Amino acid sequence: MSVSLDVLRELLVEAGVAADVAEAIRPDAPLLRQGVDSLNFSAFCLAVEHRIGLSLNERDALTLRTLNDFVGYLGAARNDTPPADPVGRIVRNWREVEAGRSFAVGPLRPGDGQGVAQLFYAIYGDRYPVEDYYIPERIESLNAQGHLLTVVARLETGAVAGQGAYYQSSPPNKALFEFGQVMVDPAYRNTTMAARIVREMERLSRLMPQAEGFFGEAVCTHLVTQKLVDRHGYAECGLEAALMPSGAYEKEGAGSLRVSCLLAARVDRDRPMKMHLPECYRRELAYILEGFSLNRDISFDGRQEPTIRESSLERRLFDFAQVERVQAVGIGADFPERAAVLDREAAQRGLAVLQVFVNVGDPGAALAVEALRERGFFLGGLIPLWFGTDGLLMQKVYVAPEFEAINLYSSRAKTLLEFIRDDYDRIGK
């Protein structure tokens, strides 16, 4: 099943969007920021369902912001529905990864999807929180649509023994790609495979015109990924405390509680913009910004009055990880009340972590940070280009973070941990 951008523009007009607006829509930018209001968007989703004969999953629909998102989603949904037992299908089609074979590293090819899905299962069992990576057709479709760029280490037998990827994930800015998923079969971990995969990813990243920058979340159970990323121009910019359940990494020697992740980013295509930062984090944020060469007009604001009445929030729940991520795209006067609701609902649902990414391009950013601090949130970091503008991560953990189990490679990362741990200690006083 596939659908073209031209068809989607026709459906926008059918949903009530003016023809000239629909024709001018950029496929890589959010529809709601290009003259499509929320009523038009809902009508558009219904029109897509009617034309394609496919019912959009409610949770998936929350992630569909751009026309490219719709193209990728509908392409991945070909053959109607995903297999009822994707893990069972991986096992039934299992291809042996033989030790000691020669290998070549390069972009994913048709037919490699099974090997990549097999790697995810071999490393994570059935506990990786995104189902797409257990479905070979979706892996290949996402690559074909440009939402995912997978690099594989392919043995002479054709089996996939390692992989890494750039992919569109949580950032509202779909030109900011996540770097990660570097995995190597145990039989090849004492080889140069991981380094060669990362080197090829580095080369290909310079050829991605759709990318403004990259970020990564390196697990802190070991130093391997941190060392690889450190060599390719990324600057550490935050730490996500207790982000993932240890069960997702039990085959990799995770601790008894939850796994924290180190944030690092690289900006390839910058532009001048305003940055509103809270005075309470002047020292910490100035330190993070030293790692980048950004063209920013920076002001450290007090509790500035927001310019809008109602906040614009986008929410995504990761059930297995017990994590909710909230994107505070616009900060309104109602933000303190909205923050209270988010906090209360997270506690009621038994979440482990609630993350709020604050748009520091918005003049109300300092007010949002203060409201979150009052509810027990602490600093997570600052990620360039997260919204197109930059994003400041505030986080609240409803479990005790295992700070002593965090392994960090660079002195910069260790300094960030000190800042973040000090801020976490503040909320307990």
Side-chain angles (χ1 to χ4, degrees):
M1 180 185 301
S2 62
V3 62
S4 69
L5 290 172
D6 288 341
V7 169
L8 291 177
R9 287 193 170 93
E10 289 177 14
L11 295 177
L12 281 170
V13 174
E14 184 178 312
V17 177
D20 59 337
V21 173
E23 182 61 31
I25 290 287
R26 283 180 50 201
D28 60 343
L31 293 168
L32 293 175
R33 300 182 193 174
Q34 299 188 81
V36 179
D37 63 29
S38 57
L39 290 176
N40 291 148
F41 186 81
S42 297
F44 172 62
C45 289
L46 291 173
V48 170
E49 289 185 329
H50 179 74
R51 175 73 66 89
I52 307 302
L54 173 73
S55 179
L56 295 178
N57 178 285
E58 183 176 353
R59 182 173 299 163
D60 287 346
L62 294 175
T63 71
L64 302 176
R65 302 183 181 94
T66 71
L67 288 183
N68 281 345
D69 289 342
F70 277 89
V71 170
Y73 178 84
L74 296 171
R78 67 183 184 219
N79 298 325
D80 296 322
T81 58
D85 181 20
V87 168
R89 189 171 65 153
I90 291 171
V91 174
R92 288 191 296 273
N93 295 326
W94 197 268
R95 188 166 190 178
E96 194 63 32
V97 176
E98 301 175 11
R101 294 282 190 170
S102 62
F103 61 88
V105 173
L108 182 109
R109 296 176 184 169
D112 287 338
Q114 164 65 24
V116 172
Q118 183 175 308
L119 257 180
F120 272 89
Y121 180 65
I123 302 299
Y124 296 103
D126 61 357
R127 298 186 177 186
Y128 196 79
V130 182
E131 186 186 46
D132 286 344
Y133 298 109
Y134 293 108
I135 303 173
E137 296 89 349
R138 286 194 180 174
I139 293 166
E140 295 185 18
S141 177
L142 289 169
N143 270 273
Q145 297 295 337
H147 302 298
L148 173 67
L149 190 157
T150 304
V151 172
V152 302
R154 193 180 301 103
L155 303 185
E156 56 187 321
T157 63
V160 173
Q163 81 119 51
Y166 295 113
Y167 47 100
Q168 294 175 336
S169 57
S170 293
N173 177 16
K174 294 307 175 185
L176 180 64
F177 280 73
E178 185 165 357
F179 163 93
Q181 299 177 347
V182 178
M183 298 178 289
V184 172
D185 187 272
Y188 288 85
R189 290 188 180 173
N190 292 324
T191 71
T192 61
M193 183 176 286
R196 288 176 58 183
I197 289 171
V198 172
R199 187 163 60 243
E200 178 66 3
M201 291 176 68
E202 159 72 8
R203 186 186 71 82
L204 291 173
S205 72
R206 306 295 180 178
L207 305 175
M208 293 174 64
Q210 73 271 41
E212 296 176 348
F214 304 88
F215 80 101
E217 297 173 312
V219 295
C220 297
T221 53
H222 58 74
L223 302 178
V224 175
T225 307
Q226 295 178 46
K227 289 179 180 179
L228 291 172
V229 170
D230 186 67
R231 299 169 187 164
H232 293 286
Y234 287 73
E236 297 92 337
C237 57
L239 189 133
E240 299 170 288
L243 180 65
M244 293 292 290
S246 60
Y249 300 95
E250 62 187 0
K251 294 185 178 182
E252 304 300 302
S256 59
L257 296 179
R258 294 178 65 89
V259 175
S260 297
C261 291
L262 179 68
L263 283 164
R266 190 186 90 200
V267 175
D268 285 12
R269 296 174 179 85
D270 192 26
R271 58 189 181 279
M273 63 185 78
K274 182 75 174 176
M275 181 183 282
H276 302 271
L277 300 179
E279 178 64 37
C280 61
Y281 290 133
R282 177 185 285 267
R283 178 185 63 152
E284 294 87 346
L285 298 178
Y287 181 80
I288 291 173
L289 288 169
E290 287 175 4
F292 300 94
S293 297
L294 302 177
N295 189 344
R296 297 291 183 271
D297 178 9
I298 300 174
S299 64
F300 283 90
D301 301 327
R303 189 163 172 159
Q304 185 172 334
E305 289 299 318
T307 58
I308 57 177
R309 185 170 64 85
E310 294 185 359
S311 301
S312 175
L313 306 181
E314 298 176 2
R315 303 172 63 175
R316 185 177 181 186
L317 180 64
F318 297 84
D319 284 321
F320 166 70
Q322 297 176 287
V323 172
E324 183 173 12
R325 276 183 169 164
V326 179
Q327 313 294 345
V329 180
I331 313 300
D334 65 342
F335 189 87
E337 292 76 23
R338 299 288 295 275
V341 171
L342 291 170
D343 186 20
R344 183 170 61 251
E345 291 181 351
Q348 290 171 346
R349 287 190 303 228
L351 296 186
V353 179
L354 174 58
Q355 296 182 327
V356 179
F357 290 82
V358 178
N359 180 3
V360 296
D362 189 296
L367 177 142
V369 169
E370 184 60 30
L372 292 166
R373 281 168 58 87
E374 289 175 359
R375 302 207 64 85
F377 285 74
F378 59 100
L379 181 65
L382 181 71
I383 307 94
L385 305 180
W386 187 264
F387 294 91
T389 51
D390 308 307
L392 189 153
L393 169 61
M394 297 294 292
Q395 55 192 337
K396 183 169 184 178
V397 293
Y398 301 86
V399 297
E402 201 174 13
F403 286 119
E404 294 77 11
I406 294 176
N407 295 299
L408 297 173
Y409 172 64
S410 72
S411 59
R412 178 177 169 84
K414 293 172 183 176
T415 299
L416 287 175
L417 175 58
E418 290 177 10
F419 287 152
I420 289 166
R421 188 167 185 176
D422 286 346
D423 203 38
Y424 172 78
D425 289 341
R426 167 201 57 86
I427 70 174
K429 296 179 181 179

